[in-house]
Each structure stands twice: as structure tokens, then as C-alpha cells.
Amino acid sequence: MVGRKPVQEVLFSKPEQVDLVYVQDTIRSHALDRIVDICKSQKVRFRKVSEAEMRRLHPGNHQGVLARIFQPGFSNMAAVLEQVTSAPLPLILALDQIQDPGNLGTLARTMVALGGAGIILPKNRTAFPGTVAAKASAGALSRLPIAQVTNMARSLEYCADQGCTVYGTALAQKTENLFTFTPKFPAVLVLGNEDKGIRPNVLKRCDHKLSIPMPGAMQSLNVAQAGAMALAMFARARSGY
């Protein structure tokens, strides 16, 4: 979203749709100061950037402000946890700094297909559920509650306090075989960054660590592929197939 008046209006009316506001740092304006104040009061993230960065983000007339919008709107943890009690697959997907929006969209599509409850995303260093992710999801992103959290580790602790068993995928030696384990529901499945996997502090919050046996020539899988396999195993256990 571009322009001072449209950004200010969405901040007032639908702040849950706003992921991040960019403000040009070389423009002095009461209107831009007002937008920053609204961001602070509505607890919406904002970032002051250079003129060159603003031109890179939007080459047209932006009036010194841009907003990154997730049209369906972000949910909170309470809404996601409420959904897990009634979902066909009582499982929440937590994505720890997934970078590729295509992976985010594909995983959302798999979650909707299998009846999953919702998705947890960190606010920083994660793929944005925008146009690219929406296209890969084939509309699934608008059908799932998606919560943004400041601290993934604490959010997993909160899920555990609410009765969820937390599972994480890992390549460590002490892991359970994804194809033979028996999950407990409701559950949270944590998937990590495409290159580095789950961060150590987040992995500590996982009650069980799962790995995919790979006796073939390939020793790794794309996170969307691995996630789809893991979600399918949870769905299989839930349905009793």
C-alpha cells in the first residue's frame, strides 16, 4: 500500500493487516510523524529507510511511506490455539525463519488440504505471506489463521502450557524416525530455516525431534517437501490409516 492517507487509514481501521511500514528517513513531515505515532500506538512495526531503498521498493510516487499488507489479516496465538481444538488435524505449523515465500505458500496449501489448524510465524527474518506466497498456496493462506509472534521459543512454551506436544524436525543423532513415531495431539510441528534448520533455542522447546530416513543418494530435502511428508504422517496417525 502506497501513500500517506491510505497507509494512515489502514493503520486505524485494520492494523492486523499491516506487517511492516516503511518511512523515508530524509523527509520531514507532520503527516509521516503522525504515521509513526500510529504505528507505535497500534504496535505495528515500522522501519525508516533511505530514499534509494524506497525507490527500490516502489519506483513511483510513494509520498515517503509504504505499507506491507497481508490482506486476510494476522491472527493472534489465542485464535490459532482455539482453532486447534476443532480442526480435523489438530496441529499447528510453526515456521522458524523460513525465507522462501514459495515454501510458505506450499506448506499453507498442504495444511489446508489436510485440515490443519493454523500457522505461527516470527515477526522478523521470515518470508512474508504476500503475492508470491499467496500464489503458491492457491488461496490457502486466506483460509488459515496465521499468527505473528515476537519470540518463537516463548510461543512454543505457551503452546505446551496449553496442552500441545511440540515436535521439531532435525538432523541430530538423537531423533525419532518420522515414519514410525506415534504423535500425541494436539500438536505443534516446527520446521526450520532452509539452510540452518531450527534455531538451537527454539529446538530446545521441542518435546520430540523427528528425522526422515534417507538411504538414497540425496541427503536433504526442500523444507516444503520435508514438511509435506511430516504433515502427512501426522494426518495418517490422526485418521488411523
Side-chain angles (χ1 to χ4, degrees):
M1 181 171 290
V2 180
R4 299 173 185 179
K5 184 172 288 186
V7 170
Q8 183 168 311
E9 287 179 356
V10 76
L11 283 170
F12 271 127
S13 62
K14 297 178 180 179
E16 72 281 356
Q17 290 187 352
V18 185
D19 175 60
L20 179 64
V21 175
Y22 296 94
V23 180
Q24 186 171 323
D25 59 7
T26 55
I27 296 178
R28 297 293 177 264
S29 162
H30 290 300
L32 293 184
D33 290 341
R34 175 62 174 154
I35 287 172
V36 170
D37 289 340
I38 297 170
C39 286
K40 291 178 179 178
S41 66
Q42 298 283 37
K43 297 182 179 180
V44 172
R45 294 185 303 153
F46 68 92
R47 184 179 301 163
K48 293 191 175 182
V49 298
S50 68
E51 181 180 356
E53 178 67 6
M54 289 293 283
R55 283 200 305 269
R56 186 188 69 81
L57 292 167
H58 183 79
N61 181 20
H62 47 65
Q63 299 182 315
V65 62
L66 301 169
R68 195 164 68 176
I69 302 295
F70 174 47
Q71 200 70 42
F74 291 101
S75 300
N76 54 38
M77 283 295 301
V80 175
L81 283 165
E82 181 179 351
Q83 186 71 17
V84 82
T85 61
S86 58
L89 177 60
L91 180 139
I92 297 167
L93 185 62
L95 302 179
D96 187 37
Q97 296 190 344
I98 297 295
Q99 299 296 302
D100 187 338
N103 287 334
L104 169 58
T106 300
L107 287 165
R109 184 174 184 175
T110 305
M111 279 286 284
V112 169
L114 297 177
I119 293 176
I120 304 172
L121 298 175
K123 286 187 176 181
N124 296 311
R125 300 192 179 104
T126 192
F128 177 62
T131 304
V132 175
K135 184 177 181 180
S137 79
L141 281 171
S142 63
R143 302 182 185 183
L144 278 174
I146 298 178
Q148 277 192 322
V149 298
T150 303
N151 189 305
M152 180 65 81
R154 290 180 184 173
S155 298
L156 294 178
E157 289 179 350
Y158 178 67
C159 289
D161 290 341
Q162 301 304 308
C164 293
T165 304
V166 182
Y167 298 86
T169 56
L171 296 175
Q173 291 182 346
K174 295 183 179 180
T175 58
E176 298 176 51
N177 188 324
L178 175 68
F179 300 146
T180 59
F181 87 112
T182 302
K184 296 179 181 178
F185 295 100
V188 179
L189 173 62
V190 187
L191 300 177
N193 175 271
E194 289 90 342
D195 294 323
K196 299 179 181 179
I198 300 173
R199 289 172 291 170
N201 193 44
V202 174
L203 191 61
K204 288 180 182 178
R205 272 65 181 185
C206 297
D207 302 306
H208 301 269
K209 301 173 182 65
L210 307 173
S211 62
I212 300 172
M214 286 182 281
M218 300 299 292
Q219 294 301 308
S220 64
L221 293 170
N222 174 280
V223 67
Q225 295 170 327
M229 293 174 67
L231 290 170
M233 295 307 297
F234 277 91
R236 178 186 180 189
R238 179 63 176 176
S239 65
Y241 291 159

